[in-house]
Amino acid sequence: MKRFLILEDGTVFPGESFGASINTTGELVLYTGATGYQEAITNKSYTGQIIGFTYPQQGAVGINRDDYESIEPTIKGVVIGESYELTSHWRAQMTLDQFLRSKRIPGLKNVDTRRLYRHLATHGNMKASLMDTHDDHAHDQIKALVVANNQVSQVSTKQAYPSPNIGRNVVVLDLGLKNTVLRELSKRQCNVTVLPFDTPSETITTISPDGILISDGPGNPQALTKTIATLQEIQGHYPIFAIGLGFSVVALANGLAVEARHFARHQINLVVKEKITQNICLTAQNGNYGLTAIPADSNLLTTHLAVNHQEVLGFRHRFLPVFAVNFDPEAAAGPTDAQHLFDDFLDLMNADIERKQRVF
Amino acid sequence: MGKRTDIDKILVIGSGPYVVGQSSEFDYLGTEAVNTLAAAGYQVVLINSNPATNMTDRHPNVSIYLEPITEKFLTEIIRKELPDAILATVGGQTTVNLVMALRRSGLLDQLGVQILGTDLSRETPATNVDQFQQAMQALDLPILSSLIVTNSAELTHASSQLGWPIMVRPVNSIGGTGGGIAESQHQLQQIFKRAVALSPRHQVALCQSVVGAKEIEFEILRDRADQVTAVFNCEQLNPVGIHSGDSITLAPIQTLTDRQVQQLRQTAITIGRHLNIVGSCNIQFAVAADSDAFWIMKATPRLGRTSAFAAKALGYPLAKIATLLTLGLRLDQIEHPYEQGSTALVEPAFDYIACKFPGWPFDRITGADRTLGAEMKATGEVLVFERNVEAALLKGVRSFNLHIDHLWKPNVAALPDDELTAQLIHPTDEEIFCLAEALRRGYSVSDLSHISKVDAFFVAKIQNIIQLEQELRNHKGDQATLAKAKIYGFSDLKISQLWEIPVAQLRDFRKEAEIEPGFQEINSLATSPLVHSQQYFITYATGNEVSPTDQREKILLIGSGPTKIEQGSEVDYETVRGLLALRQLGYQTVLLNNNPDAYSTSVGVADRLYYAPINAESALNVATAEQPDYIITQLGGKSASKLTAALEARGLKILGADAAALNQVHQPEQFRELLQRLQLQGPQIVQLLQPEAIPELLQRHHLRYPLLIHPNPDHFFSPTEVIRNAPDLQRYLGHFQHDLANFPFTLREFLSGDKYEVDGIFDGEHVLITGILAHLEHSSLHSGEAMTVTPAQNLSVAMAEQIKNVFKTVGQALSARGFMNIRFLVNAGQLYVLAIDLKGSRNLAFINKTTTEPVVTLGVRVLLGASLAELGYPGDGSLKIANYHIKIPVYSFTKLNKREKLSQVQMKTTGEAIGSDITFEKALYKALEAARQPLPAFGRILFSIASHDLAQGLAIAQRFKQLGYQIVATAKTATAFQTAGLPTDFVHNIGKKQPDIAAEISGGRIQMVINTTEWRGPVSISGALLREVAVMHSVPLITTMDEAEAILTVLESRAFAIQPLI
Amino acid sequence: MTKVVLDKTAMQRALTRITYEIIEQNRGLNDLVIVGVKTRGIVLAQRIGERIAQLENTKIPVVALDATEYRDDRTVSQPTPPQLATPITGKNVVLVDDVLYTGRTIRAALNALMAAGRPQKIALAVLIDRGHRELPIRPDFVGKNIPTARTEKIKVQVAEIDEIDQVILA
């Protein structure tokens, strides 16, 4: 069935319906990895967004039980070139189309995604809709759409829950947590308590964790005033590790301004250089916000830079045990090069405990 | 960390003449590496005996030794030049073996010569299979366990340890020669016997088989600061068991989850770090189709075939970057190839599919074993870009210009079911056609995947094509279906057939419907699709991205496409020299080509590059998009020249000879008339238009045996043969006349005499003879198959003048301009014109090595309108040639087994070597050394010759005996020699009683083999095996009496007369 | 049996963390001097110095200290005060050594330092703390605590000297 992707500037991309055949609107973002569609679709960082895939064929490995990044996908739609409807991979349990139908997510296939890619790169991020028609009404609708600012509150857990283990006590502030983050902590035997994004600092103090991880998540970090406030109160008391959206939150809490990118290319081939060791790693990134530079008088110290095109991708508090990166070190999808940051987090907690135990 | 300043002079070792498995990819890799070193300010010393490569072209800062790549010559050059370091990563396994030998001999340590990048001269896990296996086990990485066996007695024990099936691999052979897969003890014994004979080390690796698993490759780059990028990955359509060089390969990986891809990536990087790679490394994996299991198959710590594929698939100068890394630069200190503000430290985000499609020489070789397996058989490949797998496959099969337009072949369509299934179980080069045919016959995707072990993903892609055929049939004239078919890569021709309308009508319909191709820019390595790489591919799946260019005059050059047996990198050499000359003259250059191994498709050679099949449709599409001022079709071999007519018909300006002129020299009838009109002598030519009574035809035209015959040159299966008598002709026609597409056959009088290949540049009035190559052999060979020498010793001054006049007469008569090539024959003082061509000949690369004049540049300038006088060559001239230069063909017949070297008049050489020196004998000696046929100073010479050669053979044997060699011979030959009173030892044929030939050769008791075959007889298996064994053990193999004569002159020239007193 | 207790990556990460902690604790780098105890302590001190330079774009003075003459098992009655390349009086000194064991080497180093000048403050950074102290000395920055038996030996290897980065337990 014929359907249309309508952009807010009026551009229309025709295609065919797949997945659930419902109309939808949201912010359109592009994912450039050739693999990892299941992980991206179930990644809460894409909440409220329509994901366009630039690699022209999607669905070759179907959907399997092991690669979900969350149980319920929160994206608004999927736009792809060609859809593959046979699941040859031994892990596959259903096709991409079946999955999208079962989750009531609309899709559009047979779209010239290369043209879409060029269009967004030229004109910047845009709102978009998937519609059965592309009449004036549809155009008006998309123009009238106000992109929500509360994506985090939609996807963050409503209630605290534990992920018990025998190691360090870690609080995860859930801004849109991915399963793989928990997997990495669990691999390191961390005894995790996942808390809602707006948990007040007193609750955290009651738990008295060894460290706090602030997850990645969707939307605009400036809207997260409660999280920012909590952070300002607790930083210095506990070692903190923040990733993705969490990075922006920590930056804001320390008086820096993060900027929205003109064209956010959600990628799994971001090249990062760790300044201190000059080591590089490749990693995934899916945020729309970034930091170009940290002023010299800031309390934050740049630790990671993009190798190609200047951007601050990691910082550390000069005086407090706080560090943050603006990418997804847990991978899934993407290279696993940066997973050692979870070890660094563990070391930071261990050193903090030792320091606290020291008597002078 | 910048580039190294502690070294200044660098020796680069080239790959030498091309053979199957180590081929023209080294033209690209080597040339880019040498240019990089020279541009970085180092003094480069290059050794390569291959004249057919851009690598050996003159370049400031580079001294070139066109010498045999042997330990002996290498040692001499190193002692003379005293380089600080050696670059050993651009010449394949041959180079690695050599630097190891130099390390063992103590030369490197004695002179303090370093190895750049990864140290390939020492036994380390990077270079030694055993150590590699241990290292991987120590790292807890999964590697297939293998056993090294040297003795057949160990086989039973080995097989019980490994379990069936077992992969057998001779250690250190190139391109897997001699390998195989054994499923029983008997098979194992058989394969082992051949493998151990073919291994230079007499070692065979037995390995647990994962046949049927997915085959995945990664290409990584690592710098001295331990920064690694997994810059490329790809997946083979054909599963493990078929040599990767024979597999259709797609990038990026198609059928794995992200988790699997990342695990393999991480493993590849770990291996690269552990092997301490500086530069590039290729890692091959086998991945189970039904579990998470995977195995490391091999790591290649140097540039190779996949590096060339990766470089072109990404538009990333991989050889250049790898070379810079060996010089000490960091990845992030090297600029991105085309994106400002970015570095070479990148990994791609594909938004297209790159597909490497192998091409086999089977259309040129009758009786070859087409089954694919552990040994590589492909001789060339094309690179295809598309936005879906279906289109990539269809474009792939179309790109070899074999008159295949679709996944359909008449011979496959005619196969009975059981044979079709058999071919799917034991795949041949036609597997993909068999899969398509089976799907047409209703086999299911899963059944076929099960039988063929090809992943269901790919089979389903082929199924989509078959379904689309049906859709087209059902919806004739439907625009939407047409658009879809074009997106999935169907040709206009195929659609018109399915719609049962003329192709022109279909084309008009398509244009009216505005279904036109677009051009997508290849920029997966950029952070934005708006960054310009200036490299494009044609596709119907997206719009046009070509943007207008500057005001300079623009020239479109048509390249030569895939490397084929008759058209190798020597043709690409012309393309490259042409492009560089044009750029120097200030023109903007656009190239159409699709060969990933060619240097012409390297970043920065042409201003713009289009990847598409070399055919009229693509050329017209590119011309429409680019609007070039001129087009050159003279510098891309036959495939380019063929497009002249189609381009001219569209009113495009072609430089040089026009289509009418080309017709006059290429159409047999017109050619005969042309010679008559110009009062030139040539061979009698007759066309056989349909089956008819031959004797009458021959009589009518006064044609006598022997004859040369070849079928319609446009037909895909067109071997030329020598016909010696009437029964021979009957047999030939019986074989080929069932296919009407083979008509008309052309019959030619077979002349014998001294042959010359002459190249010249004609400016409309005067000619400059750029080279005259004289054949050393009198037999009826195709030009590329003969040993040639320049200058021609036996050509009189008068005859040379006459040759010049022929050039002028022909050139003026045809209004030709630019490059010309004429083949002559001199018999009894008479000059005959055998063939005329109006383009750059394949000898130009060689000729350019024999003279200091820039031959291609001169030709290009003449093409653009300059006169020879303006260029400094007034009147009719000839270029001066210093020293003697011999060009010798190199054969790769070890892998294309079951075939004979010279049984037909078709080219089967895969490469060529050059020998240059101050005397003819020295040059010939070097040429033979370079062709890996070193002459023995003493020892035993094996004669096994055809009955018609016995008389000459005896005389030759006697001269060898005179020089102090011992003579050995097989049954018939030995009897004849002994009868004539020549002391001759007798040996048995292979596999008969001991001592047999194989044992004698591998035991080092034979120093040279002289083997000729009966004119036609059946292909003798023992003869083929004899040659194979000889070549694998580097025993020189002489296959014609003329060659034997030439070698005798060398041996006699350096021999002292040692005779006892009478 | 020798066992690798810290491989190259782990060693790199430990040094990185120590560097961050030094920056964190010192609140400014102005008066910082890093002193390496010979031999491997010097290499580690240099690496910490390089790391700070990469991060902050400022060169911190790194000096080598030979405290042999100050050891309590030597009988040099009148040790010569060490000549340091950078004056340390009034500075924040971070003393760096590879392994902290009984504490006697550090005591000697402290004496030598005091003989060379009067620092504002001295902190101690070690890559490995293996316990069994015989003096009241505690490190401020530790790469890794490795509880050992007295009979065991810890060996820190650095690429500059030993051609490999690793810590082994023998």
Side-chain angles (χ1 to χ4, degrees), chain B residues 614-773:
Chain B
I614 313 293
N615 58 30
E617 186 176 336
S618 323
L620 287 169
N621 284 336
V622 173
T624 308
E626 284 287 349
Q627 301 290 330
D629 299 283
Y630 305 103
I631 300 178
I632 294 180
T633 56
Q634 279 195 357
L635 294 172
K638 218 190 253 173
S639 8
S641 173
K642 267 188 193 163
L643 304 186
T644 308
L647 293 167
E648 202 179 89
R650 291 296 182 95
L652 294 158
K653 267 199 186 149
I654 315 283
L655 292 177
D658 61 11
L662 287 171
N663 260 336
Q664 288 196 52
V665 296
H666 290 154
Q667 293 298 323
E669 302 281 350
Q670 290 196 35
F671 177 62
R672 194 181 57 199
E673 283 162 24
L674 176 75
L675 293 188
Q676 270 168 8
R677 193 164 39 144
L678 301 178
Q679 296 182 320
L680 297 169
Q681 296 188 79
Q684 187 62 259
I685 302 174
V686 174
Q687 284 206 308
L688 185 60
L689 298 170
Q690 66 245 353
E692 64 170 296
I694 316 275
E696 288 75 12
L697 179 84
L698 297 182
Q699 212 159 26
R700 205 161 61 238
H701 292 275
H702 311 290
L703 264 176
R704 271 194 303 266
Y705 294 107
L707 291 169
L708 279 172
I709 186 164
H710 71 81
N712 177 6
D714 281 344
H715 193 224
F716 126 78
F717 194 78
S718 59
T720 305
E721 288 198 21
V722 188
I723 303 295
R724 302 194 179 262
N725 48 40
D728 218 9
L729 185 63
Q730 280 313 317
R731 177 202 53 79
Y732 180 88
L733 291 176
H735 205 213
F736 294 111
Q737 72 183 354
H738 66 269
D739 188 351
L740 286 178
N742 282 328
F743 285 89
F745 284 92
T746 306
L747 292 161
R748 253 172 235 263
E749 183 186 357
F750 179 93
L751 298 171
S752 74
D754 295 328
K755 284 184 174 177
Y756 303 94
E757 297 178 34
V758 188
D759 276 272
I761 298 169
F762 182 68
D763 70 357
E765 195 180 348
H766 291 291
V767 67
L768 175 69
I769 301 297
T770 50
I772 301 181
L773 274 59

Side-chain angles (χ1 to χ4, degrees), chain C residues 6-20:
Chain C
L6 240 63
D7 63 8
K8 183 183 167 182
T9 324
M11 220 168 122
Q12 227 176 40
R13 288 192 21 250
L15 277 178
T16 297
R17 190 171 40 74
I18 290 175
T19 309
Y20 282 130

